[in-house]
């Protein structure tokens, strides 16, 4: 047997179960682990997985000694707002003073403040800034992610953001899925004329589809933003035009976004902090993935988190994401979200790994391509500075990634230790 690349001496190889559907409820507790494993890669694809001792005699053009470390599939971040202008640290003190998120938005700040900065920025500036944040995500183990527009709220700027995502796809050898979130907020000029605004956003859909600028359409369904009826109409129009659906659902108020997502067979319903019992039940009976964003709840300073335990116990498919954005969750670090899921959502380590790999992939229509390390799939994997998989959510707030690979190619590797200058030149 001869491989292009053989990763050997793996302490634990994490193998989420692959399926054409996301893992639901109890299935999320299953996580296969091979101790002392090896991984064979040919033409960028996984071609062999098994015990290290069997691999000892295999030939390979290149070998990587994992030194007893954990190896997992590349992480999948299924909800990010990666492309934006400016930043919002000036709103931090408002938050500290207890001004609610929707109040800051109603005063023309929040999302609308980032809209102003994004309109001002050139396409090149947005691209450079997004590249910086994307490289930080990759260095934290992400090899597949979703990126939304939504800081334009007019044709010109929304298309500018989506073109930036397309250029990121062309530049970076990873997997990026693009979502049109033109319905992210109501521009001040359209206050009271929300239907008119949504009509304009709907009119962009043909152009976006024909230019292959987005695969999914999303809407912020929330008090003071878009109603359930408006969301249903907008998403149905997008579905009719062939887009996959996502919803910012029941983040602050229980409007019925979870129910809407299930009834439209959306790929995902995201946030769900306030989802009703009925909403959770309907999700559990659907294939819609509940994408939970505990980093956002944490960063907004709230005590009440999405009811992940109830969702999983009732049979819902749960995924986790950063929601990286300049206002409600300013981190590129999905590992930090894994720790919050353990501490605040009370998810087990097995559920968490499934939620950032296979289920996250299903939430963005990549279930058959990403999130697992089965034979024939792209060899996207991370070598971790840990000897067991439970260690990573346990030790929070730092980067545990040792090296990150996409299709068998190394994208990133941390610097070796021992480089701290022990005496400084005066
Ligand atoms: O998912 N809730 C709506 N949208 C984003 C926040 C965007 C922002 O504040 O800039 C979210 O949290
Ligand atoms: Fe979001």
């Amino acid at each position: 047997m001869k491989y292009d690349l053989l990763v050997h001496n793996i302490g634990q190889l994490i193998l989420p179960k692959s399926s054409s559907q996301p893992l639901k409820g109890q299935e999320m507790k299953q996580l296969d682990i091979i101790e002392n494993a090896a991984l064979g890669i040919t033409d960028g694809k996984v071609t062999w997985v098994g015990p290290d001792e069997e691999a000892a005699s295999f030939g390979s053009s290149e070998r990587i000694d994992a030194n007893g470390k954990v190896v997992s599939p590349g992480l999948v971040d299924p909800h990010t707002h990666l492309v934006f202008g400016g930043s919002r640290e000036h709103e931090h003190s408002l938050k500290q003073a207890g001004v609610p998120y929707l109040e800051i938005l109603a005063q023309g700040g929040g999302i609308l403040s980032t809209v102003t900065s994004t309109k001002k920025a050139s396409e090149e500036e947005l691209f450079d800034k997004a590249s910086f944040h994307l490289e930080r995500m990759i260095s934290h183990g992400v090899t597949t992610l979703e990126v939304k527009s939504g800081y334009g709220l007019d044709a010109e700027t929304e298309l500018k953001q989506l073109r930036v995502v397309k250029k990121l796809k062309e530049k970076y050898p990873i997997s990026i899925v693009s979502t049109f979130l033109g319905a992210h907020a109501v521009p001040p000029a359209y206050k009271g004329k929300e239907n008119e605004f949504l009509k304009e956003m709907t009119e962009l859909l043909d152009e976006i589809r024909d230019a292959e600028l987005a695969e999914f359409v999303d809407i912020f369904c929330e008090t003071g933003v878009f109603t359930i009826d408006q969301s249903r109409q907008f998403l149905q129009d997008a579905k009719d035009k062939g887009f996959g659906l996502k919803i910012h659902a029941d983040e602050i108020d229980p409007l019925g976004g979870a129910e809407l997502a299930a009834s439209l067979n959306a790929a995902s319903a995201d946030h769900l902090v306030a989802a009703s019992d009925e909403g959770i039940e309907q999700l559990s009976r659907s294939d819609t993935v509940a994408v939970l964003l505990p980093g956002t709840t944490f960063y907004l300073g709230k005590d009440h988190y999405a009811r992940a335990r109830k969702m999983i116990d009732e049979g819902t498919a749960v995924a986790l994401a950063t929601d990286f954005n300049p206002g409600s969750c300013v981190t590129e670090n999905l590992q930090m979200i894994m720790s919050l899921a353990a501490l605040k959502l009370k998810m087990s380590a097995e559920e968490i790994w499934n939620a950032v790999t296979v289920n996250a992939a299903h939430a963005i229509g990549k279930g058959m391509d990403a999130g697992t390390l089965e034979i024939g799939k792209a060899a996207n994997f991370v070598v971790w500075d840990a000897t067991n998989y439970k260690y990573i959510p346990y030790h929070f707030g730092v980067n545990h990634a040792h090296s990150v690979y996409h299709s068998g190619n190394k994208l990133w590797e941390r610097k070796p230790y021992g480089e701290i200058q022990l005496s400084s030149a005066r």
Side-chain angles (χ1 to χ4, degrees), residues 79 81 148 181 184 248 271 293 323 325 328:
H79 181 140
H81 304 252
K148 301 174 196 295
L181 178 58
H184 193 193
H248 279 69
H271 284 288
L293 311 166
D323 193 19
N325 74 72
S328 70

Coordinates of all heavy atoms in Angstrom, one line a residue, residues 79 81 148 181 184 248 271 293 323 325 328, ligand 2:
H79 N -21.8 29.5 10.9 CA -22.6 30.8 11.0 C -21.5 31.9 11.3 O -21.1 32.0 12.5 CB -23.6 30.7 12.1 CG -24.5 31.9 12.3 ND1 -25.8 31.8 12.6 CD2 -24.2 33.2 12.4 CE1 -26.3 33.1 12.7 NE2 -25.3 33.9 12.6
H81 N -20.4 36.2 10.3 CA -20.6 37.4 9.5 C -19.2 38.0 9.3 O -18.8 39.0 9.9 CB -21.4 38.4 10.4 CG -22.7 37.9 10.9 ND1 -23.9 38.4 10.3 CD2 -23.1 37.0 11.8 CE1 -24.9 37.8 10.9 NE2 -24.4 36.9 11.8
K148 N -21.8 35.2 5.8 CA -23.0 36.0 5.4 C -22.7 37.4 5.0 O -21.8 38.0 5.5 CB -24.0 36.1 6.6 CG -24.4 34.8 7.2 CD -25.2 35.0 8.5 CE -25.3 33.8 9.3 NZ -26.1 32.7 8.7
L181 N -27.7 37.7 3.3 CA -28.5 38.2 4.5 C -28.9 39.7 4.3 O -28.7 40.5 5.2 CB -27.7 38.0 5.8 CG -28.2 38.4 7.2 CD1 -29.6 37.7 7.5 CD2 -27.2 38.1 8.3
H184 N -31.1 41.8 7.1 CA -30.5 41.7 8.4 C -31.0 42.8 9.4 O -30.9 42.6 10.6 CB -29.0 41.8 8.2 CG -28.1 41.4 9.4 ND1 -26.8 41.7 9.5 CD2 -28.4 40.8 10.6 CE1 -26.3 41.3 10.6 NE2 -27.3 40.7 11.3
H248 N -32.1 33.6 11.3 CA -31.8 34.1 12.7 C -33.1 34.0 13.5 O -34.0 34.9 13.3 CB -31.3 35.5 12.6 CG -29.8 35.6 12.3 ND1 -29.4 35.3 11.0 CD2 -28.7 35.9 13.0 CE1 -28.0 35.4 11.0 NE2 -27.6 35.8 12.2
H271 N -29.5 30.5 16.6 CA -29.7 31.2 17.9 C -30.6 30.4 18.8 O -30.1 29.8 19.7 CB -30.2 32.7 17.7 CG -29.2 33.7 17.2 ND1 -28.2 34.1 18.0 CD2 -29.1 34.3 16.0 CE1 -27.5 35.0 17.4 NE2 -28.0 35.1 16.1
L293 N -25.4 29.3 19.4 CA -24.3 30.3 19.3 C -24.1 30.8 20.8 O -24.4 32.0 21.1 CB -24.8 31.5 18.4 CG -25.3 31.0 17.0 CD1 -26.0 32.2 16.3 CD2 -24.1 30.5 16.2
D323 N -20.7 32.6 15.2 CA -21.5 33.8 14.9 C -20.5 35.0 14.8 O -21.0 36.2 15.0 CB -22.6 34.1 16.0 CG -23.6 35.2 15.6 OD1 -23.7 35.4 14.4 OD2 -24.2 35.7 16.5
N325 N -18.9 38.2 14.5 CA -19.4 39.5 13.9 C -18.9 40.6 14.8 O -18.4 40.4 16.0 CB -20.9 39.5 13.8 CG -21.6 39.6 15.2 OD1 -21.6 40.7 15.8 ND2 -22.2 38.5 15.6
S328 N -22.2 41.3 18.3 CA -22.8 40.4 19.3 C -21.8 39.2 19.7 O -22.1 38.5 20.6 CB -24.1 39.9 18.9 OG -24.0 39.0 17.8
Ligands
LIG2 FE1 -25.6 35.9 13.2

